[in-house]
């Protein structure tokens, strides 16, 4: 029998609103994001673990508001006055902790955006009290920002996340794979990403595709690696 040819396809994340599954784990955060025109002081901080959908929600919000999305680390050297003239989303804010130029750029962007009544969305994996920012004025403004928290997934959300991650990778699992994973895998967005990536890699060249047996082997392998 001829061996199935392995052709890895690029991962293309679907980032439309219809691709984001709302459950009890994230419904409050989604509601706060939907109410962006009424954010206190015109700003919101979106907090959640890696893989929880912060970037996805940022793209949904940007499509509705016309906002630009950029990483906090890219701020130095950018035209802050121009950025502050419209809605803006700044991702991964804690990564600039200790970078004086980036912290000062965000500080000025924050103040200018609010002064011009332009909405500002920020994102991070942790709350501002955990960020080792060196600029005291920036830290105080971040800690005063209303927070929308994306929590670790419940069953419904984890199932939807696994299905989406596999679909983004052009993978179609057997019907019993996702129910099996829900029962057996550690419950986190990060683990869902690892499982999807491993299933995709191992399914290449397999005529049977993604089966429950393959899912079991993947979980055992990931457990051994820690």
């Amino acid at each position: 029998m001829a061996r199935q040819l392995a052709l890895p396809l690029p991962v293309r994340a679907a980032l439309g609103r219809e691709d984001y599954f709302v459950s009890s784990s994230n419904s409050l955060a989604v509601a706060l994001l939907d109410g962006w025109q009424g954010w206190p002081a015109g700003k919101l901080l979106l907090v959640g673990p890696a893989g929880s959908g912060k970037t996805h929600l940022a793209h949904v919000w940007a499509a509705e508001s016309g906002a630009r999305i950029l990483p906090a680390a890219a701020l130095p050297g950018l035209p802050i006055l121009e950025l502050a003239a419209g809605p803006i989303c700044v991702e991964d804010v804690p990564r600039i902790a200790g970078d004086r130029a980036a912290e000062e750029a965000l500080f000025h962007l924050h103040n200018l955006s609010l002064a011009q009544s332009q909405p500002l969305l920020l994102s991070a994996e942790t709350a501002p009290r955990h960020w080792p920012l060196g600029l005291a004025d920036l830290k105080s403004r971040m800690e005063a920002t209303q927070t929308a928290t994306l929590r670790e997934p419940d069953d419904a959300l984890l199932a939807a996340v696994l299905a989406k991650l596999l679909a983004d990778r052009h993978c179609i699992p057997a019907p019993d794979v996702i129910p099996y994973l829900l029962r057996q895998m550690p419950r986190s967005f990060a683990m869902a990403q690892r499982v999807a990536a491993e299933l995709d890699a191992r399914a290449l060249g397999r005529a049977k595709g993604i089966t429950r047996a393959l899912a079991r082997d993947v979980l055992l392998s990931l457990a051994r690696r820690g």
Side-chain angles (χ1 to χ4, degrees):
M1 181 181 295
R3 180 177 175 81
Q4 182 176 339
L5 183 63
L7 294 173
L9 296 172
V11 179
R12 294 183 179 177
L15 296 174
R17 187 176 187 91
E18 68 279 5
D19 304 305
Y20 192 85
F21 186 86
V22 179
S23 79
S24 59
S25 299
N26 59 20
S27 59
L28 179 56
V30 172
L32 287 171
L33 204 66
D34 282 342
W36 62 274
Q37 292 171 316
W39 290 344
K43 58 180 179 174
L44 183 74
L45 171 62
L46 192 58
V47 172
S52 60
K54 296 187 297 297
T55 293
H56 191 154
L57 284 176
H59 279 269
V60 170
W61 178 71
E64 294 178 357
S65 65
R68 293 182 61 177
I69 303 174
L70 50 86
L75 286 174
L78 292 180
I80 299 301
L81 187 61
E82 177 183 324
L83 292 176
I88 189 77
C89 173
V90 181
E91 296 189 298
D92 301 319
V93 177
R95 294 190 181 183
I96 66 171
D99 183 336
R100 186 72 179 188
E103 289 191 25
E104 289 181 350
L106 179 57
F107 176 73
H108 293 307
L109 176 61
H110 171 280
N111 292 347
L112 287 168
S113 293
L114 271 57
Q116 299 185 66
S117 299
Q118 294 293 342
L120 173 65
L121 178 63
L122 307 149
S123 77
E125 293 186 12
T126 59
R129 66 180 180 276
H130 302 299
W131 305 352
L133 295 172
L135 193 60
D137 286 339
L138 175 61
K139 186 172 181 63
S140 65
R141 283 161 174 74
M142 295 296 98
E143 291 181 350
T145 302
Q146 182 180 22
T147 299
T149 302
L150 299 170
R151 307 194 181 281
E152 289 290 4
D154 54 23
D155 280 352
L157 181 55
L158 186 58
V161 167
L162 285 166
K164 181 182 182 302
L165 288 171
L166 291 171
D168 288 344
R169 294 175 174 276
H170 314 280
C171 296
I172 302 176
D176 59 347
V177 168
I178 289 180
Y180 171 78
L181 290 171
L182 289 177
R183 294 192 301 271
Q184 301 296 329
M185 66 179 281
R187 312 187 61 76
S188 74
F189 294 109
M191 179 55 71
Q193 290 181 317
R194 292 181 66 194
V195 167
E198 190 78 6
L199 285 171
D200 182 21
R202 294 197 182 201
L204 288 174
R206 282 174 50 96
K208 292 184 178 180
I210 297 178
T211 63
R212 176 171 167 168
L214 179 62
R216 183 187 62 246
D217 291 344
V218 163
L219 291 182
L220 288 173
S221 176
L222 291 175
R224 284 194 294 268
R225 292 183 223 165

